[in-house]
Amino acid sequence: MTQQYEKAAAAVPLLDVRDLHVEFRTRDGVAKAVNGVSYSVRAGETLAVLGESGSGKSVTAQAVMGILDSPPGRITGGEVLFRGQDLLTMGAEARRRIRGAKLSMIFQDALSALNPVMSVGAQLGEMFSVHDGMTRKDSRDKAVQLMERVRIPAAAERAGDYPHQFSGGMRQRIMIAMALALEPDLVIADEPTTALDVTVQAQIMDLLAELQREYNMGLILITHDLGVVADVADRIAVMYAGRIVETASVHELYAAPAHPYTVGLLGSIPRLDHKGKELYAIKGLPPSLTDIPAGCPFNPRCPRAQAICRTDRPPLFDVAPGRASACHFWKETLDDAG
Amino acid sequence: MADATKQAEQAGQAGAPGQREPILQVRNLVKHFPLTQGLLFKKQVGAVKAVDGISFDLYQGETLGIVGESGCGKSTVAKLLMTLETATSGEVFYKGQDITKLSGRALKAVRRNIQMVFQDPYTSLNPRMTVGDIIGEPFEIHPEVAPKGDRRKRVQELLDVVGLNPEYVNRYPHQFSGGQRQRIGIARGLALNPEIIICDEPVSALDVSVQAQVINLMERLQDEFNLSYLFIAHDLSIVRHISDRVGVMYLGKMAEIGTDTQIYDYPTHPYTQALLSAVPVPDPEAREGRERIILTGDVPSPANPPSGCRFRTRCWKAEDKCAEEMPLLAVPSLYEGEDTPAAHESACHFAEVKQVVGAA
Ligand SMILES: Nc1ncnc2c1ncn2[C@@H]1O[C@H](COP(=O)(O)OP(=O)(O)OP(=O)(O)O)[C@@H](O)[C@H]1O
Ligand SMILES: Nc1ncnc2c1ncn2[C@@H]1O[C@H](COP(=O)(O)OP(=O)(O)OP(=O)(O)O)[C@@H](O)[C@H]1O
Ligand code: SF4
Ligand code: SF4
Ligand SMILES: [Mg+2]
Ligand SMILES: [Mg+2]
């Protein structure tokens, strides 16, 4: 690839989600789970999507992957551009091809994502026979290679084993193998290590980073762990009540957050490398999605809130190139942090 | 009793807080779960060695953190201390009395003083009981603590103590958020004015911002009521934040125990070092310089643990001796008698300090 071509390719993001809206019809009314999310990822880049439980991280990913639970879920607006083409409006066949081979997803719970009554080798092999039209023998060999690649010991002997016969960490590695089997351009990993122990988490993140470098994949890492984000991400998008409230490079964000919610999150985690005093705790609870506060959704919990915050919804203000914050007082927040 | 004191001296707690008396002394505690085969005539074919000889002390007013990976036996230790499980062998002395040998009235009296807060705020509360009934339930078993007429008032006081609106007594658990439910669990734990609270992963299911609220509450209550906490968690940052001392478990055994500084800044056991090095630090500037010890292989089954040192199948320092001889939990000879934070108990033949956290 020439350098110029590389530059041009980098100019169009791999995935560009624009102003995405998703609603769920529930007993208590319409839950606005995703309210105008925009984010983008380039080849070789890792974007971390961070947010508390219920903030819409998984639903956004499901809408991108086309696996949204609908009904009750419904995409009510926005675009999902893959290499510039909108997945939401393109023909069903073209969409299926892209989602099958170019995008893939790693879930938190490997046991429920794998087929319990099919051997691991057969599940991996099936990917090649279905998508690449390989023979049984070839796809089986490929499956074993892949298991070796994700460091399953004695892969050839274990290919006939079923998911429940593997440990949690091994199952997660097998799911990574499945997600990467067809060498996708983009992988969305939804809390891939949340259920695992820290030594196993370290193994898995290490493996994922290595494979990402090798294939130059774009990676969206959904997590609520600020430590994992600092370790592996290039950029970060912080979500709150179905919106992106801040996006920045990890270095900028940890050095000086530009949104009061991010300030609160960073203050409320205990540190391994020194023992702090009392933890900073964000008061109150995240809002109910059927009843999101007017103005800034964070205003009932925000120590900086003013009258304008209760009436005017802050848009994503540009803070610096590649950096934005949805806060009327981003400047003051940034000044105080710096 | 005399025996207990002697054993406690042998267990020599380096770095234990001052001259304070331990409120709980755990000695060689063992719990094996039988593995059986056959439906009608169950035959024992082996045992899961969930807890296999553990000793530690808990002091009045302190927090002892217990960390270790899934399945290492943390919850089983908690259940043994709560006498929810019967020990296979070993002793647990509460103020000098071995509670594993108690029954009836004497056991009931001890149980009042040792309470528990569970991990899962979603399933540990009975959905059909009101919050008032849940928090007041311990009074049914120990009516002497709050006579019938006083109970409602006492429950409302407890709600207030944990930062919930006292008017919520008639609500049901599903009407509360996870953090609020955990507060309800804590209020119930406090109902009988216990001295010891065993917390098994009390904040693991909560979001970070809510986690901080609950941790701050627990620290406040500890000061207010001079509580002793045994705090079980797999999040090493939270454990450091809340603990005075920390014990690291691996496959049913204690690998290392000491003050928070001794364990986090001067770990001498290879397993502790690997565990600490694997914790992601929320500082992107530190990512390049950090040394990571990535362990290979999985944790062996507690039904069939390795001979000698249990960590040897994953240990990068293992030698022949490690397969032959089980290392004892003791101050390493390298540091014996020295005035250094490295002089704390560690169960490794080749224990040596290696700084892995924030080492500049
Ligand atoms: N199938 C569904 N039916 C109804 N509501 C749903 C459904 N799936 C998600 N929601 C709602 O959408 C909101 C966002 O959920 P989402 O799963 O995206 O959260 P999240 O940020 O991934 O949280 P977590 O960290 O807990 O995984 C939640 O309030 C959830 O209740
Ligand atoms: N009632 C039981 N019968 C048989 N085995 C058991 C029983 N309870 C626990 N075990 C086994 O004992 C070992 C220790 O379990 P324990 O629940 O104490 O681990 P833990 O350290 O609390 O793990 P986690 O972090 O996953 O909660 C495990 O191998 C477990 O499968
Ligand atoms: S807009 Fe107002 S309420 Fe919202 S985060 Fe900024 S200061 Fe706080
Ligand atoms: S005793 Fe041997 S195997 Fe065990 S931790 Fe020490 S060096 Fe490693
Ligand atoms: Mg989710
Ligand atoms: Mg447990």
Side-chain angles (χ1 to χ4, degrees):
Chain A
M1 231 194 256
T2 68
Q3 225 168 1
Q4 248 165 355
Y5 178 75
E6 233 168 41
K7 266 215 188 98
V12 179
L14 208 51
L15 182 77
D16 195 0
V17 176
R18 293 192 184 163
D19 200 25
L20 189 71
H21 290 257
V22 180
E23 291 179 357
F24 287 95
R25 224 172 275 281
T26 72
R27 260 190 328 175
D28 306 327
V30 174
K32 302 198 159 167
V34 177
N35 303 299
V37 163
S38 303
Y39 58 55
S40 65
V41 201
R42 292 166 199 286
E45 183 183 54
T46 299
L47 170 76
V49 177
L50 181 93
E52 289 182 87
S53 191
S55 59
K57 307 181 294 293
S58 298
V59 168
T60 305
Q62 287 157 8
V64 169
M65 292 299 298
I67 52 170
L68 189 67
D69 193 9
S70 56
R74 202 159 67 90
I75 297 176
T76 53
E79 294 171 309
V80 176
L81 305 177
F82 181 76
R83 294 192 185 285
Q85 287 179 287
D86 189 0
L87 288 175
L88 300 182
T89 54
M90 74 174 53
E93 178 56 25
R95 180 164 56 202
R96 206 186 51 79
R97 251 202 325 271
I98 290 180
R99 280 181 175 149
K102 307 277 186 218
L103 302 179
S104 71
M105 187 145 172
I106 298 169
F107 300 89
Q108 171 174 349
D109 180 7
L111 197 53
S112 62
L114 294 169
N115 183 343
V117 295
M118 196 170 168
S119 79
V120 157
Q123 289 185 58
L124 280 166
E126 198 181 44
M127 314 245 343
F128 300 110
S129 48
V130 169
H131 282 278
D132 290 356
M134 271 189 201
T135 65
R136 262 182 81 124
K137 167 85 179 57
D138 285 351
S139 58
R140 165 126 195 146
D141 290 349
K142 198 89 201 269
V144 171
Q145 273 173 28
L146 214 52
M147 285 172 70
E148 279 166 354
R149 190 74 189 76
V150 295
R151 302 185 203 127
I152 305 288
E157 288 98 89
R158 299 218 59 184
D161 287 354
Y162 293 86
H164 73 267
Q165 291 170 288
F166 292 88
S167 72
M170 282 179 167
R171 280 199 293 265
Q172 206 63 14
R173 293 205 286 267
I174 288 164
M175 192 152 62
I176 290 177
M178 271 181 93
L180 304 189
L182 302 173
E183 301 186 15
D185 295 343
L186 176 79
V187 172
I188 303 182
D190 191 352
E191 315 249 8
T193 58
T194 305
L196 304 174
D197 282 316
V198 320
T199 60
V200 184
Q201 167 173 303
Q203 288 172 1
I204 301 281
M205 292 312 302
D206 208 43
L207 175 69
L208 205 51
E210 181 189 315
L211 295 171
Q212 182 196 16
R213 264 193 310 276
E214 191 176 317
Y215 299 135
N216 197 33
M217 297 179 309
L219 176 65
I220 298 180
L221 180 69
I222 298 176
T223 179
H224 57 255
D225 188 327
L226 284 149
V228 170
V229 173
D231 252 1
V232 302
D234 301 307
R235 280 190 312 120
I236 176 168
V238 181
M239 284 190 74
Y240 187 79
R243 283 192 174 72
I244 306 283
V245 292
E246 177 165 10
T247 102
S249 80
V250 260
H251 293 278
E252 289 168 329
L253 186 127
Y254 282 71
H259 194 285
Y261 176 61
T262 319
V263 174
L265 279 184
L266 287 172
S268 58
I269 40 168
R271 297 281 304 235
L272 188 68
D273 45 1
H274 59 84
K275 191 171 184 130
K277 298 179 292 289
E278 196 178 348
L279 294 174
Y280 176 83
I282 303 176
K283 65 178 187 197
L285 299 168
S288 152
L289 297 177
T290 51
D291 188 20
I292 297 175
C296 172
F298 188 55
N299 86 70
R301 305 176 75 189
C302 182
R304 218 180 252 285
Q306 307 285 326
I308 183 180
C309 304
R310 286 180 278 276
T311 52
D312 295 17
R313 179 144 293 171
L316 261 178
F317 296 102
D318 283 329
V319 169
R323 181 156 199 204
S325 162
C327 172
H328 294 301
F329 301 100
W330 63 265
K331 216 174 169 47
E332 290 79 353
T333 308
L334 202 55
D335 285 347
D336 285 358
Chain B
M1 178 68 218
D3 236 26
T5 329
K6 207 165 80 209
Q7 283 186 19
E9 273 162 22
Q10 278 170 1
Q13 300 279 337
Q19 297 300 310
R20 271 187 291 171
E21 272 288 293
I23 187 165
L24 210 59
Q25 291 167 290
V26 176
R27 294 293 171 266
N28 300 316
L29 195 60
V30 173
K31 178 68 191 181
H32 290 181
F33 293 103
L35 278 172
T36 55
Q37 225 169 45
L39 280 177
L40 212 47
F41 302 101
K42 285 207 163 61
K43 198 173 83 197
Q44 186 170 344
V45 292
V48 177
K49 296 171 180 147
V51 174
D52 208 18
I54 282 210
S55 304
F56 61 83
D57 288 345
L58 177 69
Y59 291 84
Q60 182 102 48
E62 81 160 344
T63 299
L64 173 65
I66 301 284
V67 297
E69 290 174 284
S70 186
C72 71
K74 304 180 297 294
S75 295
T76 305
V77 168
K79 287 178 195 150
L80 289 167
L81 300 187
M82 293 293 299
T83 59
L84 295 173
E85 291 278 6
T86 342
T88 306
S89 65
E91 295 98 36
V92 177
F93 297 99
Y94 165 74
K95 295 187 170 168
Q97 268 187 92
D98 181 2
I99 65 173
T100 63
K101 310 282 186 303
L102 295 180
S103 60
R105 195 189 292 251
L107 179 61
K108 198 173 141 186
V110 170
R111 275 187 166 163
R112 194 193 129 178
N113 285 310
I114 309 179
Q115 294 291 317
M116 186 149 175
V117 175
F118 294 91
Q119 163 171 7
D120 191 348
Y122 296 92
T123 57
S124 63
L125 305 178
N126 185 338
R128 279 181 292 277
M129 282 166 77
T130 66
V131 165
D133 291 339
I134 289 170
I135 298 175
E137 198 180 21
F139 299 140
E140 300 290 328
I141 307 160
H142 295 275
E144 73 281 6
V145 181
K148 260 223 146 71
D150 284 354
R151 281 189 201 164
R152 196 186 159 82
K153 202 173 126 254
R154 180 80 187 116
V155 166
Q156 290 188 319
E157 276 169 22
L158 285 163
L159 280 171
D160 191 47
V161 162
V162 297
L164 290 173
N165 188 336
E167 279 158 28
Y168 290 171
V169 280
N170 292 322
R171 294 201 181 179
Y172 289 88
H174 75 266
Q175 293 171 287
F176 293 90
S177 72
Q180 288 174 323
R181 281 186 239 205
Q182 204 52 298
R183 286 170 190 262
I184 294 167
I186 293 171
R188 179 175 59 184
L190 288 173
L192 300 173
N193 303 321
E195 294 176 296
I196 300 170
I197 299 192
I198 315 269
C199 316
D200 192 0
E201 309 261 7
V203 296
S204 308
L206 305 176
D207 273 316
V208 268
S209 76
V210 183
Q211 234 172 41
Q213 293 172 1
V214 174
I215 294 275
N216 287 344
L217 169 70
M218 291 184 64
E219 294 197 299
R220 203 191 77 219
L221 295 173
Q222 178 166 45
D223 289 348
E224 206 168 314
F225 300 108
N226 193 27
L227 297 166
S228 307
Y229 288 150
L230 187 81
F231 191 96
I232 297 170
H234 60 258
D235 184 322
L236 287 117
S237 313
I238 291 182
V239 167
R240 170 156 217 185
H241 179 82
I242 199 165
S243 304
D244 301 298
R245 289 188 308 128
V246 178
V248 182
M249 281 182 71
Y250 187 79
L251 262 189
K253 291 214 172 276
M254 195 69 89
E256 184 166 7
I257 187 166
T259 65
D260 80 285
T261 309
Q262 288 172 338
I263 298 298
Y264 286 79
D265 298 336
Y266 299 87
T268 66
H269 196 287
Y271 176 61
T272 311
Q273 292 160 359
L275 203 59
L276 289 172
S277 84
V279 177
V281 172
D283 177 5
E285 309 309 323
R287 99 162 71 147
E288 306 306 331
R290 283 186 73 209
E291 185 194 350
R292 276 294 170 77
I293 304 164
I294 304 275
L295 292 178
T296 51
D298 288 300
V299 184
S301 157
N304 188 17
S307 66
C309 174
R310 296 199 169 182
F311 185 53
R312 72 176 166 82
T313 53
R314 300 168 83 200
C315 182
W316 68 97
K317 281 171 75 176
E319 293 184 22
D320 291 347
K321 183 182 183 185
C322 305
E324 290 149 18
E325 252 180 76
M326 180 156 74
L328 297 174
L329 184 67
V331 175
S333 49
L334 191 61
Y335 305 115
E336 222 177 320
E338 297 214 9
D339 185 22
T340 154
H344 60 269
E345 292 170 299
S346 176
C348 169
H349 295 306
F350 307 104
E352 192 175 4
V353 166
K354 180 180 174 75
Q355 287 175 330
V356 286
V357 175

